[in-house]
Amino acid sequence: MMAASLTSTARETYPPLVDIDIRQKRYGERPILDSLRLTLAPGEIVALLGPSGCGKSTLLRIAAGLDRDYAGTVSYNGEVQRGPSPLAGVIFQEPRLLPWLRVGDNVCFPQRARGDVLARAQSLLEEVGLRPEDGALWPKHLSGGMAQRVAIARGLFTQPQLLLLDEPFSAVDAMTRMRLQDLLLAIVDAHRTAALVVTHDIDEALHLADRIVLLEPAGGARTRPASRIFEVGGPRPRRREDTARSAWRRILFEGLETLVR
Ligand SMILES: Nc1ncnc2c1ncn2[C@@H]1O[C@H](COP(=O)(O)OP(=O)(O)OP(=O)(O)O)[C@@H](O)[C@H]1O
Ligand SMILES: [Mg+2]
């Protein structure tokens, strides 16, 4: 049920789709991540939980190739990445749409939504539950949930093999959040992308993930490994009333509580 380090599982192919191997990440003298190994296979969803400031966003930036100032490697399909990976699509907590571009142009930025590109942007808008004609709207005319759907469409535009999502649904209301969670599951199913999702919400992690990683702050007088991995597994879709009663829920709450104490 629990492993000492984040190694690959039997489900995974070799080489894995992505292999994140961080010996150490520091900001100045301060260690943020150490001895962390995490692999993902196509179609696999891993949720990343941990107290504020433990390095979840840092890990995502490293996985995306946006931060190269660390000791270790990130490989996609066995190839070590030396810069931003074209195989990763990043989705942040807030949509970060460019206000001076219409929705369609935001989806395919830096390209302009014309011809084939427009058709692809429109079909992605449909896939995330919007209408193709919504591509003509300005970002300021969107609700928070619509804007995040556009951000997801933009994250998919480059046909990434791995989606990196940093608290992607925490800025929307509870109903929208459930819909967006199910949208993510549909996308992972349809495209067989892998997804690494940072969340503060244990129920969200239990609804989405094959594995849940509990990340402990680096440094200090730590006696346990830096991270614990919970193989929640089980078929999807899952019923939220079942995950609410799952034994994992209590284990994860207790694990998180120990870390924030
Ligand atoms: N550019 C930076 N320079 C120096 N320290 C940084 C920088 N970015 C982040 N940090 C520090 O590194 C630590 C990890 O930051 P990170 O954003 O990865 O945490 P997090 O787990 O995502 O937190 P949260 O749950 O609040 O989003 C924090 O203590 C943060 O203050
Ligand atoms: Mg963060």
Side-chain angles (χ1 to χ4, degrees), residues 25-28 30-33 48-61 67 93 166-167 198-200 215:
K25 165 67 188 172
R26 292 170 171 270
Y27 282 121
R30 197 171 144 226
I32 305 295
L33 301 167
L48 198 53
L49 286 170
S52 184
C54 73
K56 302 180 297 297
S57 299
T58 303
L59 171 56
L60 243 57
R61 277 199 303 277
D67 181 348
Q93 178 175 7
D166 199 351
E167 301 184 45
V198 171
T199 178
H200 283 287
L215 195 59

Side-chain angles (χ1 to χ4, degrees), residues 39-75:
T39 60
L40 279 94
E44 194 173 28
I45 303 181
V46 173
L48 198 53
L49 286 170
S52 184
C54 73
K56 302 180 297 297
S57 299
T58 303
L59 171 56
L60 243 57
R61 277 199 303 277
I62 288 175
L66 300 173
D67 181 348
R68 295 198 47 220
D69 184 18
Y70 67 99
T73 52
V74 174
S75 309

